[in-house]
Amino acid sequence: MNRPPELFARESEWSDLTGFVEQSGPGTRLALVRGRRRQGKSYLLRRLAAAAGGFYYQAVEEEQSQALAGFGAALGEHLGIPGGRLAIDSWEEALAVLEDLPSTDGNAVVVIDEFPYLMNHSPELPSLLQRFIDRTRDGDGALRLILCGSALSVMAGLLEGTQALRGRASTDVVVRTFDYRTSAEFWGITNPATAFLVHSVVGGTPGYRDLLPASPPKRAGDFAKWLAAGPLSPASALFREDDYLLTEERALSDRALYHSVVAAIAGGNTSQAAVAQALGREQRSVQHPLRALEDAGFVVATDDALRSRRPIYRIADPIVRFHHVVTRRDLARFEDRRTAEAWEDAQPRFRTHVLGPHFENLAREFTFRFASSGTVGGQVASVGPAVVNDTAQRTQHEVDVVALAREQDGSSRVLAIGEAKHTTSKRTLGDVTRLEELRELIAKKQPAAAEGNLLLFSASGFESNLKTAAGKRADVELIDIERLYNGN
């Protein structure tokens, strides 16, 4: 199937899904598609169904009788039945119709979008689907069934443990946010500094572009005006996006607790112990909410690159972090449209808790996705942050970027370490000296690290003497925001 020209990016997702739809052989095959809301899943699946001549149905929040009526109406229209409606009284009847669904060319294709909405009133559906798939696995027809949903914990749970559909799905596609370079292209922003500012607020979620009335800023000087007309405007659909996203996950019932945990992480508390301390709770009491937020896709837990089972937590969605750092801390004034003064007062925490962590995230993404082997010193297998102990000085040092290679025996080797700072001052030779000292500390336990490259990321550039010195060294790489977006 030809990829529709209006479909921006999503090459791998389209390839995976068309590969599933075109799988040869009789019987029913199942695929799952999941991802946070506004990532373009429905846009993608509608075009997939149209290209395959398949049936697409999008569920909504309603009672079972209404859902069955809506499903029958949509199916009747798809089949061209006079009057455009099939009378369906149960999901067993609905599945029986799907079993005999005709196909104009190749396999019959059925897409059920927002499947978790159907499970709210029909929890028996996964079991019915299990029985249907098993019964029709070797049937005469060839049906390719795709279930899609935005509730990540629900969709992931369909395939876990003793769940009915475990082992039934042959394809599982996760539709993720655009990476920061693709996002800049999608928004039509060519200035890297401006693209970074926009990405620090809305991330790589494509659906946010259509929710904002103002055109994206073309230069950094237009950023505040764009914010005031969009994410900081009480009239904007994005003004309470963080609360809306949290509400959508039914498993996160204690919203006050989960908002508190998210706020703690957004405020710089990135370990389990630090989150517990910020909430005034025992450490074990935050283990469940952290895991629930991780399962729901709000929080990402990354192991310390140098010490396993030492998770470092960060907020997955920039718009959630932005609102917890900026908007929710001064909600009354933003709701009162005193945006200019509230935004001015928010600058210190915006720079510290939004721009700083976001620049670090993009530095790690650059190192993993875009940096050449010459930049990093080899083929990168994984990248993460780390905390290095200095036993002599009885201190700890945070390392923003640790790039690891995977050896043939399964062990890891440090290729490079890096520091990423989003400050208004230029980086100096002192920053390289600090990285050298950290490299020496790491090399005490991992001798190969002594040969690792030093990566220095800066949003404001580098002093001339640093650039001169780096030009004479093969182990020092200077990455400014231009290179972050356009180089390797």
Side-chain angles (χ1 to χ4, degrees):
M1 289 184 286
N2 294 326
R3 184 169 165 273
E6 70 272 19
L7 185 63
F8 183 85
R10 301 304 186 202
E11 290 89 352
S12 60
E13 292 89 343
W14 180 262
S15 177
D16 290 341
L17 288 169
T18 54
F20 166 76
V21 164
E22 294 172 344
Q23 281 181 9
S24 61
T28 300
R29 308 282 175 84
L30 175 67
L32 261 60
V33 176
R34 50 198 169 109
R36 294 293 296 278
R37 190 169 293 280
R38 308 193 200 283
Q39 302 307 325
K41 302 184 302 300
S42 299
Y43 190 88
L44 169 68
L45 290 172
R46 286 192 190 100
R47 280 146 186 81
L48 179 76
F55 170 58
Y56 173 88
Y57 171 74
Q58 186 174 56
V60 296
E61 289 189 281
E62 57 188 358
E63 294 298 320
Q64 185 185 68
S65 59
Q66 295 172 308
L68 287 168
F71 190 86
L75 193 53
E77 182 179 354
H78 172 74
L79 295 172
I81 293 175
R85 179 179 295 275
L86 280 177
I88 296 177
D89 295 324
S90 68
W91 291 116
E92 290 94 332
E93 290 184 17
L95 293 175
V97 176
L98 296 183
E99 183 177 359
D100 298 324
L101 203 63
S103 173
T104 55
D105 183 24
N107 302 327
V109 176
V110 173
V111 177
I112 301 178
D113 202 354
E114 296 300 349
F115 182 70
Y117 285 155
L118 300 182
M119 289 179 61
N120 287 339
H121 54 65
S122 303
E124 74 280 5
L125 257 176
S127 295
L128 295 177
L129 283 169
Q130 175 201 17
R131 188 170 63 189
F132 173 75
I133 292 168
D134 292 347
R135 180 172 57 80
T136 61
R137 186 179 298 278
D138 300 316
D140 295 332
L143 175 64
R144 303 297 174 256
L145 175 62
I146 301 174
L147 306 180
C148 177
S150 301
L152 295 187
S153 59
V154 175
M155 294 300 295
L158 289 174
L159 305 179
E160 293 178 350
T162 59
Q163 296 302 310
L165 292 178
R166 177 176 170 81
R168 267 68 180 185
S170 61
T171 302
D172 185 13
V173 177
V174 180
V175 181
R176 305 184 189 278
T177 60
F178 291 153
D179 67 69
Y180 67 92
R181 290 188 175 185
T182 304
S183 182
E185 182 183 355
F186 179 75
W187 285 80
I189 304 174
T190 57
N191 178 269
T194 308
F196 170 76
L197 288 173
V198 171
H199 195 267
S200 74
V201 176
V202 297
T205 300
Y208 289 158
R209 190 180 66 176
D210 293 337
L211 298 180
L212 297 171
S215 299
K218 300 300 181 184
R219 57 189 182 90
D222 298 329
F223 178 63
K225 182 179 179 182
W226 174 79
L227 276 180
L232 293 181
S233 169
S236 170
L238 288 188
F239 186 69
R240 295 187 180 276
E241 179 70 1
D242 60 322
D243 199 39
Y244 174 76
L245 290 172
L246 201 64
T247 302
E248 188 178 54
E249 283 286 345
R250 300 294 177 87
L252 307 180
S253 56
D254 190 346
R255 287 168 54 192
L257 171 61
Y258 291 109
H259 271 301
S260 297
V261 173
V262 170
I265 299 171
N269 302 286
T270 58
S271 70
Q272 192 176 102
V275 170
Q277 185 176 9
L279 269 61
R281 289 171 171 252
E282 294 183 3
Q283 185 170 334
R284 62 182 180 180
S285 71
V286 301
Q287 291 175 350
H288 172 72
L290 281 171
R291 179 58 185 272
L293 286 166
E294 188 181 353
D295 290 343
F298 287 96
V299 167
V300 175
T302 305
D303 275 341
D304 187 305
L306 300 176
R307 293 183 294 177
S308 62
R309 292 189 288 274
R310 289 285 297 271
I312 297 172
Y313 295 95
R314 63 179 177 85
I315 305 302
D317 196 330
I319 193 69
V320 174
R321 177 180 58 199
F322 175 79
H323 279 310
H324 275 83
V325 171
V326 174
T327 316
R328 295 175 71 90
R329 295 274 293 275
D330 202 353
L331 189 58
R333 281 200 294 178
F334 282 115
E335 286 183 331
D336 201 38
R337 299 182 184 272
R338 295 160 61 184
T339 307
E341 62 184 75
W343 173 240
E344 180 65 27
D345 289 347
Q347 288 303 293
R349 60 182 188 271
F350 176 67
R351 288 192 295 267
T352 301
H353 297 303
V354 174
L355 296 183
H358 198 67
F359 193 65
E360 294 171 12
N361 288 340
L362 263 57
R364 288 188 284 268
E365 188 172 351
F366 168 86
T367 305
F368 183 72
R369 284 177 174 266
F370 304 115
S372 67
S373 58
T375 295
V376 186
Q379 297 297 322
V380 177
S382 63
V383 177
V387 175
V388 177
N389 289 323
D390 185 344
T391 54
Q393 299 296 323
R394 296 183 179 180
T395 59
Q396 290 185 327
H397 303 278
E398 294 183 359
V399 185
D400 301 325
V401 179
V402 178
L404 301 175
R406 192 75 65 213
E407 302 287 54
Q408 290 186 348
D409 63 0
S411 63
S412 296
R413 175 170 58 89
V414 176
L415 289 174
I417 64 171
E419 185 175 70
K421 300 298 179 187
H422 191 281
T423 61
T424 57
S425 58
K426 295 182 177 181
R427 311 306 299 273
T428 68
L429 279 170
D431 294 305
V432 174
T433 301
R434 179 176 182 274
L435 278 177
E436 289 174 327
E437 293 170 350
L438 289 173
R439 184 170 61 183
E440 290 177 6
L441 287 173
I442 296 171
K444 290 179 179 180
K445 292 189 175 182
Q446 299 194 30
E451 305 299 323
N453 282 5
L454 304 177
L455 314 178
L456 201 57
F457 297 83
S458 174
S460 302
F462 309 92
E463 289 190 348
S464 58
N465 58 349
L466 170 56
K467 290 191 283 188
T468 300
K472 299 176 181 179
R473 295 180 55 169
D475 65 334
V476 176
E477 294 284 343
L478 306 182
I479 301 111
D480 59 13
I481 202 161
E482 175 69 33
R483 184 176 175 184
L484 192 72
Y485 270 83
N486 299 310
N488 59 12

